[in-house]
Amino acid sequence: MIWRNTDYNDGMNNEALKDQEAHRVKIQAELDSKKTSLERNRLWQFATPTSLARDVVSYWLTLLWNESIDFIDPAFGTGSFFSALLQMKGGKEIRSARAYELDSHYGESSMDLWRNHGIQISLSDFTKALPGKSDKFNLLICNPPYVRHHHIPAQEKRRLRNLSERISWMRLSGLAGLHCHFMAISHQWMKDGGVAGWLIPSGFMDVNYGVEMKRYLLERVTLMRIHRFDPDDVQFDDALVSSSVVWFKNAPPPVGHKVEFTFWGTHENPHVSKMIEVSDLKPEAKWTRFPKSDTRSSTSCLTIADVFEIRRGIATGWNSFFVLSKEKIENLWLPMKFFRPILPSSRYVPGNRIDADKNGIPLLEEQLFLLNCSLSEDKIRSEYPTLWKYLENGREEMKNRYLCKSRTIWYKQESRAPAPFLCTYMGRPNSKHWKPFRFILNRSVAIATNNYLMLYPKAGVASAIAGQPDTLDKIWNCLNSISIDNLVEGGRVYGGGLHKVEPKELAKIPLVGLDFA
Ligand SMILES: C[S@@+](CC[C@H](N)C(=O)[O-])C[C@H]1O[C@@H](n2cnc3c(N)ncnc32)[C@H](O)[C@@H]1O
């Protein structure tokens, strides 16, 4: 369904447009309140706040256009960007304006709200719309639906992937969310030389599914600017994501082109800014290191992967059943020989070093043990009645635990040696620990659950440690002197400031000053 008119301001002066924006915000809030957050999450219905929409539109104004505006917003909601554009465009003429909105809950109110402003609002799926010959736009601003890949049905994903590849040559992986396809598909709606501003989660800059988007941004169009908001300062009251605004022009990049990376502050007044050459961006896997860091000089220093085998701690499938305190084991008269020390969560490990008693038990306030037994049920029943009783108590619940029920012996854990180093791979820097991840020297025989990554020295390093015990301390010092920037850049950050580093990412972090020559 399409609505047409031609007076974009509807005769309104700036004061009236401001009132119209206030009215829009009120309607948006009313519409939001009629949906559960689960429903809003399904189509990613999180509106752009007025100040952010203005911030974004004001940047476009600095690009100093003389042309008339052909505007499109492929995920309109109630039209925050269109509203900001009307208020801020000054004397510039809007020649055409188009919008798509899939959900009539928002779309119908939008049509009502903008009924006299000439914008054509189509209540349909943007990814299924086909542009006519004259349907090209020179200004696209969009906060697309960030629907994660696991919420896109397989057949729909296939359709989107084919379409994205055909239109923009982006061969998006199955892990790409709907927002990536929105960017790819909208290429066909852009005029040559037209400008697009996308408000999207920052994740694409660092993760594998973003590789094809970055290739598109560097090769097919001219990437002008990426502003990344401080992940601690989430832009949406109701959705926890770390956001960026990506600006590009639909034209091949000139030779030697430089991209402006900005960070912190507002989009209009960023605190840090740096120009980075496209040739430096192409080999760089982690774009979020800009603008705070410089381009990497090729370095020959060792990385964590050169020194360690990295493994996740063990997954028991049911920690509260399998991990017990000594007191509980004694109270239940369980045979100690079926338990081995395991570390508590890193919350209960105050420093970066775990010492042990003469039996190798960690000297920590919270001492825990993992139940691990490979005997048959018959043998346990006849020889270890207290353990049998304990297992019987867990039998029903075990059937709801995927990992336990899929093991041949449901109470047998994977075998794992203690690791001399552990990494807490998820965290927020705080007054106690100012780095997001910690490297803990483990002098005990305790193993760890998957709250930790376990670092096992590779063969050559292990023999260096055996030959010269102070090597362990040398490595530990080196791990702890990894700069906060290298740690943060090596991993990823989620809205709300939670940092995480996956084993493959940790593997690439350099260990400056370490050698075994
Ligand atoms: C993040 S909101 C942005 C709304 C508005 N542009 C703003 O910035 O406030 C994304 C909007 O896209 C709509 N949407 C989701 N899937 C869509 C699709 N396939 N086609 C068109 N709109 C879609 C959602 O209903 C939602 O209103």
Side-chain angles (χ1 to χ4, degrees), residues 50 60 181 288 308 442 462 476-477 499 517:
T50 302
W60 162 77
H181 294 288
T288 55
F308 296 107
N442 178 23
W476 183 43
N477 287 337
H499 292 261

Side-chain angles (χ1 to χ4, degrees), residues 44-48 73-76 80 101-102 125-126 143 145 182:
W44 199 253
Q45 294 168 321
F46 300 105
T48 312
D73 181 344
F76 194 64
S80 51
E101 173 53 54
L102 181 60
D125 185 339
F126 172 69
N143 170 5
F182 255 67

Side-chain angles (χ1 to χ4, degrees), residues 407-425:
R407 290 197 282 248
T408 324
I409 299 179
W410 69 271
Y411 42 83
K412 181 174 184 295
Q413 310 293 340
E414 62 185 288
S415 70
R416 188 63 74 83
F421 298 101
L422 301 152
C423 171
T424 61
Y425 63 97

